[in-house]
Amino acid sequence: VVIIGERINGMFRAVGQAIRDHDAEAIQKLARAQVAAGANYLDVNVGPAAAEPLEAMVWLVNAIQEATDAPLAIDSPKVEVIEAGLAACKNGAMINSTDARSAKLQPLMALAQKYDCPIIGLTMDDRGIPGDASGRAEMAMQIVAAAMETGVPTDRVYLDPLILPINCAQEGAGEVLEAIRQCKLLCDPPPKTVLGLSNVSQGSKYRELINRTYLIMALAAGLDAAIVDALDTELVNSMITAEMLLNKNIYCDDYIKAYLSM
Ligand code: THG
């Protein structure tokens, strides 16, 4: 499973402040800690409040790259911010994200092609996020079709069926699991799947328990990658254990240590 660390996001108050203050050390600490905890990619999102999102993205990418060689998931709703982030990446990148609208699909698939990098596709369009699994799979098909037309290999596309907070969309969690299963059947080679896991528990009391439980359910449904709080050790250990139980990693008595040192 590809672990994408979520912590460098201006949505967090301390990170938003560090971006405004150009406090590189605070960002670099978060970068190093997430990589040490097992993150394969670091999500980089300037947050909704950044006044100059393009400059903030480039500053963040450069600051992170002084601390780690990890590849970065460039997370922005704006195409020009993603392009600037990609251009600054030296050690590999992922696009986070396009959605199913042609106005986004065209430029972002072209960037995935140009930078030869994986791309996340959100199953939503102008009408929002479909309520059920088959609606999400339909949007996923449009994303996969755009990849094929642009020459992006379909196994470089990470489809994200978009999990919403359980406290306002309880029926959605099961639909997302079914969407994960359906996405894997859309084409050959099958696309990958990803979730922004922490969305599921926003506003809930038992956040870590809900995140951990839902992650394991999604992994059993075939999830390939997850944007998570990599600093939540119980979450990462549960993920490693699930992979071992799903026979994706070989068992040994010290399988957690073995996985983290890979
Ligand atoms: N899919 C994709 N990308 C994504 C998401 C997704 N990127 C952003 C987000 N969703 C995933 N990352 C986070 C990061 C933080 C939180 C949730 C998801 C979070 N933040 C606290 C909150 O909102 O309560 C912040 C609290 C604080 O300020 O400390 O929960 O779905 N492709």
Side-chain angles (χ1 to χ4, degrees):
V1 179
V2 177
I3 302 177
I4 305 167
E6 73 178 14
R7 294 296 295 268
I8 301 180
N9 188 319
M11 188 203 292
F12 292 102
R13 189 184 301 235
V15 174
Q17 195 59 50
I19 295 171
R20 283 186 291 278
D21 295 346
H22 279 204
D23 180 358
E25 185 50 42
I27 300 296
Q28 288 161 353
K29 245 184 174 163
L30 277 175
R32 282 190 212 97
Q34 292 182 96
V35 171
N40 307 112
Y41 277 83
L42 300 178
D43 198 58
V44 186
N45 185 321
V46 300
E52 301 282 353
L54 197 150
E55 284 73 18
M57 177 62 81
V58 172
W59 178 80
L60 266 180
V61 167
N62 288 329
I64 295 165
Q65 289 181 146
E66 283 175 30
T68 170
D69 294 338
L72 306 179
I74 304 299
D75 188 355
S76 172
K78 296 198 166 81
V79 176
E80 64 275 17
V81 173
I82 290 183
E83 175 148 37
L86 290 178
C89 283
K90 296 179 198 152
N91 308 307
M94 179 186 296
I95 295 172
N96 187 11
S97 50
T98 181
D99 56 33
R101 293 175 295 177
S102 51
K104 288 282 272 317
L105 277 171
Q106 274 185 357
L108 288 163
M109 284 296 170
L111 286 177
Q113 162 87 324
K114 177 178 170 190
Y115 287 90
D116 189 22
C117 65
I119 178 167
I120 295 177
L122 309 177
T123 62
M124 63 181 288
D125 66 8
D126 295 318
R127 290 162 298 174
I129 305 170
D132 62 354
S134 63
R136 284 172 161 95
E138 216 176 292
M139 307 251 147
M141 193 60 230
Q142 289 163 9
I143 295 165
V144 164
M148 287 170 162
E149 280 164 24
T150 322
V152 173
T154 50
D155 56 359
R156 302 274 274 174
V157 176
Y158 284 76
L159 296 169
D160 182 342
L162 287 165
I163 184 65
L164 296 171
I166 199 70
N167 69 355
C168 56
Q170 196 173 355
E171 65 298 336
E175 297 297 326
V176 165
L177 297 180
E178 178 57 22
I180 290 169
R181 293 184 202 102
Q182 292 184 12
C183 282
K184 302 299 292 181
L185 304 173
L186 289 176
C187 57
D188 190 34
K192 305 283 202 296
T193 51
V194 64
L195 288 177
L197 182 73
S198 301
N199 301 357
V200 74
S201 64
Q202 276 177 320
S204 289
K205 182 174 173 191
Y206 298 109
R207 287 204 71 170
E208 293 186 336
L209 179 60
I210 293 169
N211 289 344
R212 190 159 74 236
T213 304
Y214 192 60
L215 176 62
I216 302 314
M217 294 165 74
L219 292 171
L223 190 72
D224 297 290
I227 304 166
V228 300
D229 180 4
L231 303 183
D232 180 346
T233 306
E234 284 205 70
L235 180 88
V236 173
N237 286 352
S238 301
M239 176 189 271
I240 295 167
T241 304
E243 279 202 274
M244 183 276 292
L245 291 168
L246 290 166
N247 200 26
K248 292 185 176 172
N249 274 316
I250 197 162
Y251 177 82
C252 68
D253 286 345
D254 245 334
Y255 67 90
I256 289 182
K257 221 193 237 168
Y259 180 95
L260 286 174
S261 59
M262 273 190 327

